[in-house]
Amino acid sequence: MNDQQWHELQERLTQAHAALLSQLADDLDRTTDLRLPLPHVAEASPADNASQRALHSAVHEAATLTARRLDLVRHALARFDDASYGLCESCGEPTGYSRLAACPEARCCIQCQTRLERGRR
């Protein structure tokens, strides 16, 4: 990977980090809003309560997924600091620019990732 590619990937990850932080803040704001009682309703119906719980669950799940992705991006950015970014965490070989261009937070080369995914089945 050349210097331009290195810096391009670092910039993409930095932008993703900022976007994910913003998304997580929005998700947490929505979660807080959902805990407030419904306006202008003396007593919510069971259907309203069920809808509210489903919506709360969906927002919570979205926030959880955003937080996980944020952890991956932070990990990738930290690897720039110790110059290990772009090396597979499993075999130590270069991950390859095409893999990182598709998924800048990738921790493993395509061969090791495929092996990991097959092992999960």
Side-chain angles (χ1 to χ4, degrees), residues 13-86:
L13 284 165
T14 300
Q15 290 173 0
H17 183 264
L20 289 166
L21 280 175
S22 177
Q23 179 63 45
L24 189 57
D26 289 346
D27 290 345
L28 294 175
D29 284 346
R30 272 191 229 111
T31 299
T32 301
D33 291 344
L34 291 173
R35 292 184 180 168
L36 299 174
L38 293 173
H40 310 302
V41 177
E43 191 169 314
S45 71
D48 288 339
N49 289 334
S51 293
Q52 196 71 359
R53 282 192 305 274
L55 184 57
H56 184 273
S57 177
V59 169
H60 179 67
E61 184 176 339
T64 300
L65 292 173
T66 301
R68 285 184 191 153
R69 177 115 194 272
L70 184 59
D71 285 344
L72 290 173
V73 168
R74 283 180 175 154
H75 180 78
L77 285 169
R79 295 187 72 209
F80 275 95
D81 293 339
D82 66 10
S84 66
Y85 181 79

